[in-house]
Amino acid sequence: MALLPILIAPDPRLKLVCTPVARVDDAVRQLMDDMRETMLAAPGIGLAAPQVGHPIRLIVVEIEREGQKTGPLFMVNPEIVEASDEDVIYDEGCLSVPEHYAEVARPAKVRVRYLDRDGETRELECEGLLSTCVQHEMDHLEGILFIDKISALKRGIILRKLIKARKDREREEAD
Ligand code: NI
């Protein structure tokens, strides 16, 4: 297993629409394991393949908080097949938008269809934090970040801070 570098916004690779995975093979399973290790080390509760530079439709979610415990969920080519009319608002963060949080409204419950680690089709009812997290990760597969769902003003402030933090980091590395 290996820790993978996580791309930080703004980065054009985070804006790509990802391609479906044709076959869940050992290379995909290796990426799943590396993504899980990277996510847990960050630490985070979800990670999408484009965040580690692989523009394919794969997400990893693992939650153990707020009374929920999901175990590792590896979802290939996930699709929402049902969503509740009722929304829920969470203060979201993202490993690609470090140290920034904002409230985002999403359907409270979703039913997701996906291929698992063995390439088998599965469906899962998601609610609570799991529902929000799965939808957040699935947005990454469309090149959408949670900051794309907030006001342009707030987004601009966050992006400017991220650019400044990157410049500071590069300056430190150069010293
Ligand atoms: Ni994210």
Side-chain angles (χ1 to χ4, degrees):
M1 295 215 279
L3 288 181
L4 307 170
I6 297 173
L7 303 180
I8 306 296
D11 187 308
R13 291 168 290 177
L14 292 169
K15 305 305 292 174
L16 299 172
V17 175
C18 297
T19 53
V21 174
R23 204 162 64 90
V24 184
D25 57 15
D26 285 344
V28 172
R29 279 185 283 272
Q30 177 69 57
L31 179 58
M32 287 172 171
D33 291 337
D34 290 345
M35 282 174 58
R36 176 173 181 241
E37 193 185 359
T38 302
M39 173 186 76
L40 294 177
I45 57 173
L47 189 68
Q51 292 180 274
V52 289
H54 292 265
I56 61 169
R57 304 186 81 81
L58 163 64
I59 66 171
V60 180
V61 170
E62 185 164 352
I63 295 171
E64 198 178 336
R65 62 165 89 153
E66 295 185 21
Q68 286 194 307
K69 190 168 178 184
T70 66
L73 287 168
F74 302 103
M75 295 180 166
V76 173
N77 303 340
E79 286 174 74
I80 290 172
V81 291
E82 249 179 77
S84 63
D85 293 332
E86 180 206 345
D87 279 350
V88 70
I89 294 173
Y90 261 104
D91 202 27
E92 294 191 19
C94 179
L95 295 177
S96 293
V97 188
E99 290 166 42
H100 294 278
Y101 300 87
E103 289 190 338
V104 178
R106 301 182 187 271
K109 290 183 187 178
V110 288
R111 185 170 186 84
V112 183
R113 184 182 296 154
Y114 60 98
L115 300 178
D116 69 10
R117 220 184 142 77
D118 299 312
E120 301 290 336
T121 301
R122 287 182 179 270
E123 283 193 14
L124 184 69
E125 288 281 1
C126 304
E127 58 182 309
L129 184 55
L130 176 60
S131 173
T132 290
C133 185
V134 165
Q135 292 176 73
H136 171 119
E137 300 313 326
M138 285 180 67
D139 270 354
H140 277 294
L141 307 182
E142 308 301 332
I144 297 168
L145 303 175
F146 80 90
I147 51 172
D148 294 318
K149 299 194 166 243
I150 63 179
S151 74
L153 180 69
K154 271 180 137 179
R155 179 167 58 250
I157 291 168
I158 291 175
L159 285 172
R160 276 195 298 279
K161 285 183 177 167
L162 290 172
I163 290 166
K164 184 179 180 298
R166 174 178 304 171
K167 283 185 182 151
D168 290 347
R169 225 168 26 242
E170 283 167 357
R171 201 171 301 127
E172 273 171 31
E173 281 162 16
D175 282 346

